[in-house]
């Protein structure tokens, strides 16, 4: 019996080789730039001087050297009474002189008692421990304030990013192939 020819097919697949290294990346974030300045507060304080008034007019008046109008007014208001007392004293002195026979020397005694200092007039004001008036006016302090402040200035810095590619080599380890072979045919049989 004749043999049936046989065909043999051999297939060899392609093989790829891959040589890969991973890439590297470097990421850096520098800190933000931060600036701070301070405007200091300012304060101006001014204290005006107070005012003091001293009124001594009542004290001078009590010493008898007060204002002329007040002194003359007092003398005028007492003048009538003093004049009446003076007239009464002159009448009394005249009566004593009229009775010269009874007294030893009424003229000499009357002349000895003559007083020319106006002591009968009370022209001084009232004396008191509180005759000097003192008034003090204080002034408020003037305070001007200028507020201070803090100035903040912030700048974020950019991210620094660096990427280094890795390598990728793809190559053929084995090429594909198909091998078809036929068994030898025996033509003699």
């Amino acid at each position: 019996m004749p043999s049936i020819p046989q065909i043999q097919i051999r297939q060899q697949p392609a093989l790829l080789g891959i040589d890969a290294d991973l890439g590297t990346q470097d990421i850096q974030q520098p800190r933000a730039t931060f600036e701070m300045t301070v405007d200091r507060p300012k304060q101006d304080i001014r204290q005006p001087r107070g005012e003091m008034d001293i009124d001594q007019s009542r004290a001078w008046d009590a010493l008898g050297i007060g204002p002329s109008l007040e002194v003359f007014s007092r003398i005028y208001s007492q003048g009538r009474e003093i004049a009446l007392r003076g007239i009464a004293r002159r009448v009394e002195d005249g009566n004593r002189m009229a009775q010269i026979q009874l007294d030893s020397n009424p003229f000499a005694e009357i002349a000895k008692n003559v007083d020319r200092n106006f002591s009968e007039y009370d022209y001084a004001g009232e004396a008191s421990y509180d005759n000097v008036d003192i008034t003090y006016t204080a002034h408020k302090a003037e305070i001007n304030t200028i507020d201070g402040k803090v100035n903040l200035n912030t700048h974020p810095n950019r991210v620094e990013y660096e990427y280094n590619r890795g390598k990728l080599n793809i190559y053929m380890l084995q090429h594909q192939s198909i091998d078809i072979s036929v068994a030898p045919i025996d033509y003699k049989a």
Side-chain angles (χ1 to χ4, degrees), residues 73-91:
S73 176
R74 283 192 200 106
I75 291 172
Y76 176 76
S77 64
Q78 297 171 17
R80 180 182 172 114
E81 181 183 333
I82 292 174
L84 290 175
R85 276 190 272 152
I87 291 171
R89 195 172 44 248
R90 297 293 175 250
V91 169

Side-chain angles (χ1 to χ4, degrees), residues 39-108:
D39 294 338
R40 299 207 175 268
K42 295 178 184 173
Q43 193 169 52
D44 180 30
I45 299 174
R46 190 173 154 275
Q47 176 66 56
R49 291 186 179 208
E51 296 173 9
M52 180 180 282
D53 272 344
I54 300 174
D55 183 6
Q56 306 179 81
S57 59
R58 290 188 300 156
W60 291 118
D61 191 33
L63 293 172
I65 50 176
S68 299
L69 287 177
E70 289 184 26
V71 170
F72 291 134
S73 176
R74 283 192 200 106
I75 291 172
Y76 176 76
S77 64
Q78 297 171 17
R80 180 182 172 114
E81 181 183 333
I82 292 174
L84 290 175
R85 276 190 272 152
I87 291 171
R89 195 172 44 248
R90 297 293 175 250
V91 169
E92 182 182 318
D93 289 344
N95 289 339
R96 281 181 56 202
M97 286 187 276
Q99 297 175 357
I100 194 165
Q101 74 277 9
L102 299 176
D103 268 336
S104 59
N105 189 359
F107 293 100

Side-chain angles (χ1 to χ4, degrees), residues 1-31:
M1 158 156 220
S3 65
I4 299 175
Q6 293 186 357
I7 298 175
Q8 290 184 346
I9 300 174
R10 279 194 224 131
Q11 183 179 357
Q12 187 176 2
L15 295 175
L16 293 176
I18 299 175
D19 183 12
D21 290 336
L22 295 176
T24 59
Q25 60 183 350
D26 185 25
I27 300 175
Q28 292 182 1
Q29 173 70 50
R31 290 187 179 193

Side-chain angles (χ1 to χ4, degrees), residues 102-116:
L102 299 176
D103 268 336
S104 59
N105 189 359
F107 293 100
E109 286 180 22
I110 292 171
K112 189 168 67 170
N113 290 332
V114 171
D115 189 10
R116 296 194 178 264

